[in-house]
């Protein structure tokens, strides 16, 4: 059972073919500015393959911050 958990963790890495197809942002600030211009909900993440940032629309299992209201 422990081996299957370990295998599942390894599969979470970004596939090289996916990394090559996605836009790359050098820093998180660049990725966040691209998110601000988007018409859909996106989040940024640091890629373990290229070391830069990519955008994704996947939010399953991710906490989304509540909007701040004053």
């Amino acid at each position: 059972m422990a081996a299957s958990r370990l295998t599942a963790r390894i599969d979470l890495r970004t596939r090289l073919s996916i990394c090559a197809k996605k836009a790359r942002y050098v820093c998180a600030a660049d990725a966040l500015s691209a998110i601000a211009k988007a018409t859909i909900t996106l989040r940024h993440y640091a890629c373990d393959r290229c070391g830069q940032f990519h955008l994704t629309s996947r939010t399953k299992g991710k906490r989304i911050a509540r909007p701040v209201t004053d």
Side-chain angles (χ1 to χ4, degrees):
M1 184 166 226
S4 63
R5 286 179 127 184
L6 180 60
T7 304
R9 302 261 316 146
I10 292 170
D11 291 339
L12 294 177
R13 291 188 65 186
T14 304
R15 290 191 317 235
L16 190 55
S17 61
I18 298 299
C19 174
K21 292 178 184 177
K22 288 191 169 194
R24 295 177 181 173
Y25 301 92
V26 177
C27 63
D30 291 343
L32 289 172
S33 78
I35 289 172
K37 296 174 189 172
T39 58
I40 61 172
T41 302
L42 296 172
R43 68 176 189 85
H44 69 288
Y45 66 94
C47 180
D48 57 355
R49 296 291 184 160
C50 67
Q52 296 183 350
F53 291 88
H54 296 299
L55 305 179
T56 184
S57 61
R58 295 194 64 181
T59 56
K60 185 176 180 179
K62 303 293 179 189
R63 289 184 156 217
I64 299 174
R66 291 185 183 177
V68 177
T69 57
D70 292 338

